[in-house]
Amino acid sequence: MAPTVPLALPVLVALLAPGSVVASPSCDYPAHLWCSSREIAVACQAESHCANLSRPAAAPVELSLFYESLCPACRWFLVQQLFTTWLLLPSEALSITLVPYGNAEEKNVSGKWQFQCQHGPEECLGNMIETCLMHEAKNFSTYFPVIFCLESGSSVTKNLEACLQVYAPQLDGGRVAACVQGDTGAELMHRNAQLTQALDPPHQYVPWILVNGKHTDELQAQAEASLLGLICRLYQ
């Protein structure tokens, strides 16, 4: 039976072989520990010799979608591009923020926020439903399939219970409805208004897409043409 070779020995031999790395003066670790962590490998200038060290995780590409619940172009982008891309990519590659408000307007009447939307009261209700859904669900992977269901279905405002049953049966539709009908929903929509009004440059249309915090005509066009391709190019 062949003698057992300690795991650290091949690493040590490789590191000490002719032409191999020489520890920097800042390295005060024995050679058999040089590959035990990335910090030690960096200190000892041994990273290229440590095959066991994985590459550090890349930051996700951040995409923010400013949209309206009944805007046809918004619905198309969310259903055909954004949701499909999210399904295909690993969770660590893409971080998505949804802000349903768009070209709406708000006013404060006797201390309460009221809203007017480009496609009428039904759109304001749709924006509010999706905003309250996000608030109640908290987790993106829980609420995004429900929003996809609403936006791809026959009615954004009438299909909440059906979409919840299919995609998030653990969520209480009554809590979402209470949010929509109460002060919480209005405050959440006011926050969406503030986020939209703070855009720089100001939005000129919807959907309005930010990639890593930036909006340009080129990024918008690339996202609408092939969001998956864009994210794959940008993810380092």
Side-chain angles (χ1 to χ4, degrees), residues 96 98 133-134 137-148:
I96 299 171
L98 301 175
L133 174 64
M134 288 186 261
K138 304 293 191 293
N139 187 284
F140 185 85
S141 61
T142 299
Y143 63 72
F144 192 34
V146 182
I147 291 177
F148 160 79

Side-chain angles (χ1 to χ4, degrees), residues 103-190:
N103 296 320
E105 297 179 355
E106 67 172 357
K107 60 181 178 180
N108 193 304
V109 179
S110 302
K112 293 185 179 296
W113 292 107
Q114 296 181 2
F115 305 92
Q116 289 184 323
C117 296
Q118 183 174 2
H119 299 92
E122 192 79 358
E123 179 166 82
C124 282
L125 177 58
N127 291 345
M128 186 87 77
I129 289 172
E130 294 182 6
T131 298
C132 283
L133 174 64
M134 288 186 261
H135 175 72
E136 291 297 329
K138 304 293 191 293
N139 187 284
F140 185 85
S141 61
T142 299
Y143 63 72
F144 192 34
V146 182
I147 291 177
F148 160 79
C149 178
L150 294 173
E151 293 291 342
S152 61
S154 58
S155 172
V156 172
T157 59
K158 295 181 175 64
N159 290 342
L160 178 62
E161 286 298 335
C163 289
L164 286 176
Q165 288 178 14
V166 174
Y167 291 101
Q170 74 278 20
L171 288 182
D172 183 356
R175 290 179 61 87
V176 177
C179 169
V180 169
Q181 296 162 9
D183 294 339
T184 300
E187 287 300 323
L188 292 170
M189 286 304 304
H190 172 58

